Amino acid sequence: MSDLPRKAVTRTAKLAALPLGIAGRATWGFGKRIVGESADLVGRELQQRTAEQLFKVLGELKGGAMKFGQALSVFESALPEEVAGPYRAALTKLQEAAPPMPTRTVHAVLAERLGDGWHELFLEFEDKPAAAASIGQVHRGVWHDGREVAVKVQYPGAGEALLSDLNQLSRFSRLLGPLIPGMDIKPLITELKDRVSEELDYGLEAQAQQAHAGEFTDDPDVVVPQVVHQSDQVLVTEWMDGIPLSEIISDGTQEQRDRAGQLLARFLFSGPARTGLLHADPHPGNFRLLPGGPEGEDDWRLGVLDFGTVDRLPGGLPATIGESLRMTLDGEAEAVYQLLCTEGFVKETVELDPDAVMDYLLPIIEPAQVEEFTFTRGWMRSQAARVADPRSPAYQLGKQLNLPPSYLLIHRVTLSTIGVLCQLGATVRLREELEEWLPGFVPEDLVDGEEAVAEA
């Protein structure tokens, strides 16, 4: 019944061809330099050709290849414009589409998981998928009680394909590194592999989605569809219309971009505080812009989909993040350094200059220094270039910092969200969201004072 494992040899061959193609392009680039073309020009052309090949292969595959492509795609704004431009459309396609699973396979999964009479559960069921993702695809239907629903059906054998692809990709992760300046690809792939079993478990996904749906039921800004039914390999939730964030990125008005960016930042920081969970898959395919915000039909709300990957944070985001951010903004170099040492960001065997650490951090936290900040691809590229250039002090210092395992997913989600904000070109009041939702960002005595005033 499974289409994915049967094609394992083909999948492996396609992925194995990637490093050969990349090596061939590197040789071609070396030849170009020999005949006198500038290293920068050749490097950009080589990067562009490599990326085009990578995303062409990833776009043809489901499983881990597509998952990796989706995770990588949110960092597109870090690439030079002349490189990013030609394949931005291919990246967007990765976020929204994949080759569909045959109808007979979909019906077989539904019969196995919902029973032979599965048709009776629906007043309508569309065989043509409405969307496809890395481990499953979504069909539109009408549940027996009249509710419009999204029926998520997992690809048979998705787990094997996911792990096989990610193992294959990790073998040549070093070759893929230059695609996104300043980003180490191997930890990203390792972290995706660590999440495989969670993402395949639709029971866990249903719990996470229902926790958010319950918390945000009456929220004026954020909409999360309710879970209708769940079984192994099948998840039925309420259907949600709206404009995909990828369309806002490509064609949205500035008003839509700014509103989407503000709500994305709000959801990133308020979600853990309100649910104890961090939505950990922030690519544009998982968000919609819906009419009917607090100001009426002309205002917008953020619709959130896909809770297959979450970080469980019972106390919300760690207070260390807010405390270190606040102290950095206040110029407390020594205190920031001590906190980073205590939390394991600086290993015991390493000794750094606290002022140099401040110089490294301040440009990154620029969006929190001002009342509102406009996220742009140019800003993202400048940050990526600063930490990726071996001649840069930031590069040398960054190599000596450590990222504790408990912060890995938080770090990736934050970076990914910033990447999406830069794709949107949104002007966001980020500091407002940090003050409202990030533990430790506002000193305890101020919080206590505000609460006392409110109670009085």
Side-chain angles (χ1 to χ4, degrees), residues 339-394:
L339 187 59
L340 294 179
C341 289
T342 301
E343 288 295 310
F345 288 92
V346 181
K347 290 185 175 179
E348 291 181 7
T349 53
V350 174
E351 190 170 332
L352 300 173
D353 176 10
D355 289 325
V357 174
M358 286 287 280
D359 290 341
Y360 176 86
L361 293 174
L362 279 170
I364 301 170
I365 65 168
E366 186 183 355
Q369 294 175 300
V370 291
E371 192 172 322
E372 63 178 27
F373 183 82
T374 301
F375 290 86
T376 65
R377 286 185 163 95
W379 178 79
M380 185 78 163
R381 287 195 293 270
S382 70
Q383 294 302 318
R386 187 175 70 93
V387 299
D389 185 350
R391 298 163 297 183
S392 160

Side-chain angles (χ1 to χ4, degrees), residues 83-228:
V83 175
Y87 62 84
R88 190 168 290 143
L91 289 172
T92 302
K93 191 178 289 186
L94 265 178
Q95 294 161 354
E96 290 288 342
M101 179 168 32
T103 301
R104 67 180 184 279
T105 307
V106 175
H107 288 188
V109 173
L110 291 172
E112 183 180 342
R113 300 303 179 185
L114 301 182
D116 290 335
W118 67 268
H119 275 108
E120 296 171 14
L121 295 171
F122 299 91
L123 298 178
E124 295 175 26
F125 182 86
E126 295 182 10
D127 285 334
K128 183 181 178 182
S134 53
I135 65 163
Q137 65 189 35
V138 177
H139 293 257
R140 192 166 187 167
V142 179
W143 197 241
H144 57 79
D145 62 5
R147 279 184 288 177
E148 283 195 80
V149 291
V151 185
K152 191 172 178 180
V153 183
Q154 192 173 117
Y155 305 127
E160 295 96 315
L162 204 60
L163 280 172
S164 171
D165 290 349
L166 291 171
N167 283 331
Q168 187 77 12
L169 285 163
S170 68
R171 290 190 188 106
F172 51 88
S173 58
R174 189 172 296 176
L175 287 168
L176 302 174
L179 286 173
I180 306 293
M183 183 180 178
D184 193 350
I185 298 293
K186 193 152 192 171
L188 171 64
I189 297 175
T190 300
E191 198 252 303
L192 290 174
K193 284 165 62 177
D194 290 344
R195 298 279 160 177
V196 167
S197 59
E198 259 183 53
E199 189 158 358
L200 292 167
D201 189 334
Y202 279 1
L204 286 176
E205 179 172 350
Q207 290 172 19
Q209 179 157 341
Q210 197 51 47
H212 281 85
E215 174 60 36
F216 287 93
T217 295
D218 299 315
D219 193 279
D221 297 315
V222 176
V223 181
V224 178
Q226 298 281 342
V227 174
V228 175

